[in-house]
Amino acid sequence: MRNVLTLNAGALKTVSQVAVLEELERQVGKATWEIFDVISGTSAGGINAAMLASGYRASELADLYMDPANRIFRWRWRIWRSLFKRKPFVRTIEKYLPRRRTLDDTKVPVILFAQNIGDGINYAFSSMDARPISIARAILRTTSVPPFLEPEEGVWLDPGMGSLFNPTEATLRFLKGRRVDLQSLRVVNLESPLDPHRSSGDRLQRGGLMVRVNHAVETVFADLSRRAHAGIHYYFPGVDYLSCSFSNNRYFDPFKFKDLAGLYEEARQAAPDQVSNIRRFLEV
């Protein structure tokens, strides 16, 4: 075990992770699961992690985002339960990863995280566990974000809902618990675009409730992201760690498909610089 990939949350903005990995695969000539020995993620980053570890290439993963048929977020009338319907989301996930496929069926170990409402503890679901669950179920657990989607099985939430959660730190703690030599690892973290300034100004003044909520969330998480990176070096000194951040140059609502193609294209244009840093870091 040598190279580890961790993928942050970010709803549809995680398409930027796909663009970077697509360019990495093109330059190296290998699939992501052939470059990294472990892939982990949370929330929408968990979807990317599960797909890539299952053998899908980043270009195929891009189709999941860009195909109009895969409208993951559809508004529902009974908003007291959740803002979006759950069935379209489940149907899209199971189209790529049927429920019969378990975490044991991945090409390389994958680690997904979810929080249990009952005890407030964040749990890891991985092929390294004694009884791995289905990939689809693990994805549904890590992506449940009230009030947008109902909690999976009534008790599982996106781990970032109840506390500051960093998938890289959680991954390193998980591997340390399994007696992996952390000093031997090279960890690459891909963030999602977080640039609250792009949603401020005139757009914020004219925008509705969702614009204001998104602006507030990005402001908080941009600050938490900076603190999280500092925590990696504090709690895990000596671990080789590279974090790749990405700023989008336009306002983007992470729950709408409207400007998804533009964000994806913007990420593809920035990808060569990111990949250059990753290749130097991994020596590939």
Side-chain angles (χ1 to χ4, degrees), residues 86-273:
R86 189 169 186 78
K87 285 186 178 180
F89 179 75
V90 174
R91 188 161 51 243
T92 298
I93 295 302
E94 292 186 346
K95 182 171 77 173
Y96 291 88
L97 297 167
R99 287 234 178 192
R100 65 178 178 274
R101 295 187 63 177
T102 70
L103 292 169
D104 265 344
D105 297 327
T106 55
K107 300 287 187 180
V108 294
V110 61
I111 310 169
L112 304 181
F113 301 94
Q115 183 179 110
N116 187 288
I117 298 175
D119 55 23
I121 297 176
N122 293 323
Y123 289 85
F125 300 95
S126 171
S127 53
M128 299 179 185
D129 293 335
R131 294 183 178 179
I133 62 175
S134 75
I135 304 174
R137 177 170 291 180
I139 289 175
L140 295 176
R141 288 181 177 182
T142 192
T143 52
S144 297
V145 185
F148 302 106
L149 288 171
E150 298 173 59
E152 170 67 3
E153 300 171 7
V155 296
W156 295 104
L157 296 174
D158 178 331
M161 292 299 297
S163 61
L164 169 60
F165 182 81
N166 183 304
T168 302
E169 181 179 338
T171 300
L172 290 174
R173 292 190 185 280
F174 177 86
L175 295 175
K176 183 178 181 180
R178 279 145 184 80
R179 302 190 178 186
V180 173
D181 179 15
L182 300 186
Q183 304 295 322
S184 68
L185 302 180
R186 290 181 294 199
V187 183
V188 175
N189 170 246
L190 295 187
E191 294 190 72
S192 297
L194 280 175
D195 196 347
H197 302 293
R198 302 297 181 187
S199 59
S200 59
D202 183 59
R203 172 82 188 204
L204 185 61
Q205 293 296 324
R206 295 184 292 105
L209 176 62
M210 290 300 293
V211 173
R212 295 175 183 275
V213 169
N214 187 50
H215 171 73
V217 169
E218 291 210 347
T219 301
V220 171
F221 276 87
D223 180 60
L224 293 180
S225 178
R226 288 189 291 270
R227 297 184 186 185
H229 295 317
I232 296 297
H233 296 291
Y234 178 81
Y235 291 112
F236 304 98
V239 173
D240 289 334
Y241 171 63
L242 174 68
S243 179
C244 299
S245 59
F246 174 82
S247 292
N248 52 304
N249 293 322
R250 66 186 74 189
Y251 174 78
F252 180 78
D253 187 329
F255 293 100
K256 291 184 178 179
F257 278 83
K258 184 179 179 181
D259 293 327
L260 186 60
L263 177 65
Y264 175 63
E265 185 57 36
E266 195 172 322
R268 291 186 66 183
Q269 292 175 9
D273 290 336

Side-chain angles (χ1 to χ4, degrees), residues 55-89:
Y56 284 98
R57 285 187 170 268
S59 56
E60 296 175 289
L61 187 50
D63 294 337
L64 183 149
Y65 287 88
M66 307 306 295
D67 188 345
N70 298 333
R71 292 306 171 96
I72 296 176
F73 299 112
R74 294 176 186 257
W75 293 91
R76 69 185 306 166
W77 291 105
R78 292 181 293 179
I79 59 174
W80 58 88
R81 295 182 60 183
S82 64
L83 293 177
F84 300 108
K85 296 179 181 179
R86 189 169 186 78
K87 285 186 178 180
F89 179 75

